[in-house]
Amino acid sequence: MSRALQQADAFFDLGRYEQAAALAAQHLAGDPDDATALVLLARCRHRLGDEQQALTTVEQALHVEPESVSAWLMHTHVLLALKEYKQAEGSARRAVELAPQHWGSHYTLGIVLDRAGAPQYRGTHYTLRSVLDRAVRMKRTRAAHESARTAAALAPEESDAHFLVGLTAHHTGNHRVAQQAYETALRLDPDSSNAHHNLALLHLRRGWLSPGSWTRAAEGFVQAAALDLNDRQARHNLETMAWGAVSGSRWVALAGIVAVASGSAHLRAGAAGTDTLVTYLVCAAVLVGSWGGWLLWQTRRVPPHLRRPLLLVSRGCRPVLGMAFAIALLIVHPVMALVLWRSALFSALAIPLFFFALVMSVAGHTALQQRAPKQ
């Protein structure tokens, strides 16, 4: 290997793809049929987003060396980027034929099969054709899972292989296997943002069924966002969790509103003496008890190390801020209604304020869906 090619390989590992591409091209000027250099140049162009040039370059490498496993694998990844799934599958299967004991061949085939199956396996319209398409896609996803398991068996120390096992199991609905695989991937690579994110999704799914799952989900999304600053999906999931926590408190507010409305009506009906004091104490107890219980639950649910990330995310999310404003009105109103109990008109504001909170809840949910990054 020439010095220029060695330097190009080092630059690629450092993420300096333009310099790596320039050095690979310099090497190829003197040796245009070096398949290794051609594959490296294709990898650089792929990372730089120039997929057509990457495809041309890797096909040139395959012309020079038709049995180059690395070239077939690179060919597969470029075709995947171009969403040419059928051709990508053919290239991946060729790599498996050439290197059946190489974990990367099976791993790449698993990626292709999963990409062509699971992402489209979502929808709401059921026709005969759609049902058949779903069956075919699910079959491909199961095949992807088998390829991933083969890759993990061949390279049990590779975190990516176990992550793919988890991903394909996740897509087929086998959440127990998915969780075990994600946890294995994290033991091998604690800095895998994707594994943190997907494991958090599993915890979030059973948030009401398993104590502590909501907290573990939030921790996973925070960790994923911290490891990958470009992970918009993790940030969006945190926004959704924060919005859900604020939105859920509207039912606590409803209890306070009902209690204060009943108490105010009782006071206006002519309550006096001890009866007045008891009415005030009952209303205050309902307000303090309901909101105090909710705050205690949230304190246990959101440990100190999660509060700052959730607050920072909430500060920049309009649906969360809008919902918080509506809830704040529902907190202030009962207190004011209890003080100004003589004003029936003021007490009557409770109903429109609660409906305003419901409207903000629906609008916030819709806005969050619109803010969701594309998969």
Side-chain angles (χ1 to χ4, degrees):
M1 183 182 291
S2 70
R3 182 176 177 80
L5 196 58
Q6 289 178 339
Q7 291 179 331
D9 200 42
F11 277 131
F12 183 88
D13 291 338
L14 293 172
R16 297 167 64 177
Y17 305 123
E18 290 184 358
Q19 292 95 324
L23 287 168
Q26 177 184 329
H27 171 85
L28 286 166
D31 188 0
D33 291 333
D34 187 335
T36 301
L38 287 167
V39 171
L40 178 58
L41 181 57
R43 291 168 65 197
C44 294
R45 287 173 173 169
H46 172 62
R47 292 297 180 90
L48 291 168
D50 190 353
E51 305 300 348
Q52 289 297 336
Q53 281 296 322
L55 183 62
T56 301
T57 304
V58 76
E59 286 180 346
Q60 185 180 347
L62 287 170
H63 178 75
V64 172
E65 193 174 330
E67 296 190 354
S68 169
V69 176
S70 61
W72 281 112
L73 293 176
M74 190 66 243
H75 193 243
T76 303
H77 286 294
V78 173
L79 289 170
L80 268 180
L82 294 171
K83 297 183 180 180
E84 298 289 348
Y85 298 119
K86 187 174 182 180
Q87 295 179 48
E89 182 180 345
S91 295
R93 291 192 182 280
R94 179 58 179 154
V96 171
E97 290 175 5
L98 292 169
Q101 297 303 312
H102 177 42
W103 78 274
S105 301
H106 297 278
Y107 171 79
T108 303
L109 178 58
I111 289 176
V112 174
L113 293 171
D114 181 71
R115 193 80 60 85
Q120 291 84 14
Y121 190 76
R122 300 184 179 93
T124 56
H125 302 290
Y126 292 88
T127 64
L128 177 59
R129 181 174 180 179
S130 69
V131 170
L132 291 174
D133 286 346
R134 285 166 180 264
V136 170
R137 287 167 182 159
M138 181 55 77
K139 184 178 179 181
R140 293 171 69 83
T141 303
R142 292 195 183 102
H145 182 62
E146 290 305 314
S147 292
R149 289 181 59 189
T150 301
L154 290 170
E157 76 288 352
E158 289 290 343
S159 172
D160 287 344
H162 291 284
F163 174 78
L164 186 59
V165 172
L167 183 65
T168 51
H170 201 155
H171 287 159
T172 58
N174 194 338
H175 297 140
R176 181 183 61 83
V177 171
Q179 179 172 340
Q180 291 174 347
Y182 291 146
E183 289 172 349
T184 300
L186 286 172
R187 280 198 299 271
L188 295 168
D189 180 12
D191 293 336
S192 173
S193 63
N194 288 330
H196 279 292
H197 180 273
N198 285 16
L199 184 58
L201 287 176
L202 290 178
H203 287 312
L204 185 61
R205 180 179 177 273
R206 46 179 191 266
W208 292 103
L209 303 176
S210 177
S213 289
W214 192 95
T215 303
R216 287 193 291 272
E219 287 174 338
F221 292 136
V222 168
Q223 188 70 16
L227 291 168
D228 184 359
L229 298 179
N230 295 318
D231 190 348
R232 296 178 56 210
Q233 188 64 54
R235 180 183 178 87
H236 177 261
N237 288 335
L238 285 172
E239 290 175 346
T240 302
M241 294 181 78
W243 176 86
V246 175
S247 177
S249 66
R250 66 188 184 275
W251 305 113
V252 180
L254 179 61
I257 287 173
V258 170
V260 170
S262 301
S264 298
H266 184 62
L267 291 172
R268 285 194 299 273
T274 304
D275 199 14
T276 301
L277 179 61
V278 170
T279 300
Y280 268 104
L281 290 177
V282 169
C283 291
V286 171
L287 286 175
V288 173
S290 57
W291 282 111
W294 183 83
L295 287 172
L296 178 62
W297 178 50
Q298 291 298 327
T299 299
R300 292 182 175 180
R301 198 185 192 196
V302 187
H305 66 279
L306 290 179
R307 292 170 196 167
R308 179 175 172 78
L310 284 171
L311 285 174
L312 289 175
V313 164
S314 301
R315 258 184 6 187
C317 181
R318 289 186 178 180
V320 176
L321 294 176
M323 195 70 233
F325 174 71
I327 295 301
L329 293 178
L330 293 179
I331 294 173
V332 172
H333 177 268
V335 176
M336 297 300 297
L338 194 59
V339 174
L340 305 174
W341 57 269
R342 291 184 177 83
S343 174
L345 179 62
F346 191 85
S347 297
L349 287 174
I351 295 176
L353 284 177
F354 185 74
F355 274 102
F356 173 68
L358 291 178
V359 170
M360 291 299 293
S361 175
V362 174
H365 184 264
T366 303
L368 280 171
Q369 289 181 322
Q370 293 174 345
R371 287 167 63 97
K374 293 183 180 180
Q375 296 289 338

